[in-house]
Amino acid sequence: MNKPDLKDQHHAASTWRSLVRQAQALLMDEKDPVANAANLCALLFDSLEDVNWIGIYFLKEGELVVGPFQGKPACVRIAMGAGVCGTAARRREPLRVSDVHEFDGHIACDPISRSELVVPLLCADQLVGVLDFDSPLPGRFSAADEDGAVAVARVYCEAIS
Ligand code: SME
């Protein structure tokens, strides 16, 4: 890894530390899952660079249904195992895709999206939904972004529990 990459990683990590603190302050006094999802997505979309969509899909009766988001109108329902969101949901693991054109079964809600990060919302071991990030830049999301997204997903789960 060269120096600029290391610098980028540090920058991303410190941005996420700040976002985790802001998310805690914003969500901790509220238990409503939709209200907190709306504010979390607004905070993230307002703070992160080079993203065109951030939102939450809730797991409802076995499929993912779009919840609060920031960005252009999106696909409403995603089957478990379908696309990047449904794959992350089924595996119950974060999924980082550097080039969505290379991901078999990617669901293109907005053709400008080129990379994607999806983090499952596992609240008390129950899959509640997923937090989805889209970027128009290939390779936008780093390991530090994934760690940060997992940390804010944890804050969300703690708040609604
Ligand atoms: N691209 C996603 C669908 C959701 S949108 O990006 C908002 C997927 O493949 O699951």
Side-chain angles (χ1 to χ4, degrees), residues 53 57 74 78 82-86 106-107 109 116 132 134:
W53 198 90
Y57 280 87
I78 299 175
V84 186
C85 290
H106 167 253
I107 302 162
C109 299
E116 186 159 357
D132 181 21
D134 286 327

Side-chain angles (χ1 to χ4, degrees), residues 76-92:
V76 176
R77 289 175 189 268
I78 299 175
M80 283 298 267
V84 186
C85 290
T87 304
R90 188 161 67 187
R91 293 183 191 162
R92 295 163 68 104

